[in-house]
Amino acid sequence: MRVPVVPGLSRNDIEYAAVLLLQQIGQQEALQGKCPVDIEEIFEFYIPDSLGIKTGYTDLSRLGNNILGYTDASEKISLVDKTLIDADDNPTLRRCRATIAHESGHCLQHVAILNIFKSLSSRGDERLYRAERTEIPAYRDPEWQAWEFARACLMPRSLIMKYHSKGYSLEDMAECFDLNPAFIDVRLRTLKIKPF
């Protein structure tokens, strides 16, 4: 299946949208670094209430191996694999936060414009989440946009730059943002704070 091309969004567009969302829903303390972003609130309450998209946690193994999140624009549903939210180890719970933010990015940026597409066909063989991406520019790729949103929402640029300038290690930032160090490392590299 071809990856749908969506209207282009720059990293700055996505950064702005993420911070605006956090301000609008009253997560100023997260923007100030007093606590991690409550991404579950956005996924479980804001998205269903504001966008009419059903969200939840379920067993996604029926969709294939290693499917951690799924958003179907035509059905207006977004799901995260239940094994993530039910985990009792910190790395998996932190991966859950990143996955929830990614699926939230799809809900906020793509459901309205991709509402005629299904991310899984009735035959079960066409999937949106892992298609060949080389034919479209990253800024028009819904997967790139959703991951950029996840990073921008969970690690606002002003905070990550502040922590970096104060000499925080990846592990220090992992505690502040409640995310895995590898996810933070990608953020530092995409912001060109750290070389690739």
Side-chain angles (χ1 to χ4, degrees), residues 116-186:
I116 62 170
F117 293 96
K118 285 191 178 215
S119 46
L120 181 67
S121 75
S122 59
R123 292 176 298 160
D125 62 354
E126 294 179 340
R127 301 179 201 274
L128 171 64
Y129 59 90
R130 297 265 193 249
E132 180 61 46
R133 331 209 74 73
T134 58
E135 70 232 27
I136 60 173
Y139 68 92
R140 299 199 65 198
D141 180 343
E143 288 300 307
W144 180 86
Q145 290 180 2
W147 280 120
E148 284 298 313
F149 175 83
R151 289 186 285 269
C153 182
L154 294 173
M155 299 172 276
R157 183 187 328 201
S158 61
L159 283 179
I160 204 149
M161 295 187 79
K162 173 183 169 184
Y163 296 157
H164 178 72
S165 71
K166 288 186 172 187
Y168 283 36
S169 68
L170 283 176
E171 290 73 24
D172 294 336
M173 288 189 225
E175 291 302 313
C176 294
F177 294 121
D178 195 15
L179 294 168
N180 287 320
F183 196 59
I184 295 165
D185 190 57
V186 171

Side-chain angles (χ1 to χ4, degrees), residues 26-103:
Q27 290 205 28
Q28 283 80 6
E29 288 191 351
L31 286 168
Q32 296 165 0
K34 295 179 181 175
C35 61
V37 168
D38 187 349
I39 194 63
E40 294 86 354
E41 176 191 3
I42 295 168
F43 186 70
E44 296 170 13
F45 300 105
Y46 177 79
I47 289 171
D49 294 346
S50 298
L51 304 176
I53 299 168
K54 182 181 176 191
T55 62
Y57 308 95
T58 192
D59 178 7
L60 293 178
S61 64
R62 71 188 187 285
L63 299 179
N65 292 333
N66 300 318
I67 307 302
L68 301 178
Y70 170 73
T71 299
D72 188 325
S74 63
E75 296 292 326
K76 289 196 167 195
I77 189 166
S78 185
L79 302 168
V80 170
D81 192 71
K82 193 172 180 354
T83 60
L84 292 178
I85 199 78
D86 289 344
D88 57 9
D89 65 288
N90 225 16
T92 304
L93 290 170
R94 287 175 169 178
R95 187 172 189 182
C96 183
R97 287 176 44 74
T99 302
I100 291 170
H102 175 83
E103 297 307 320

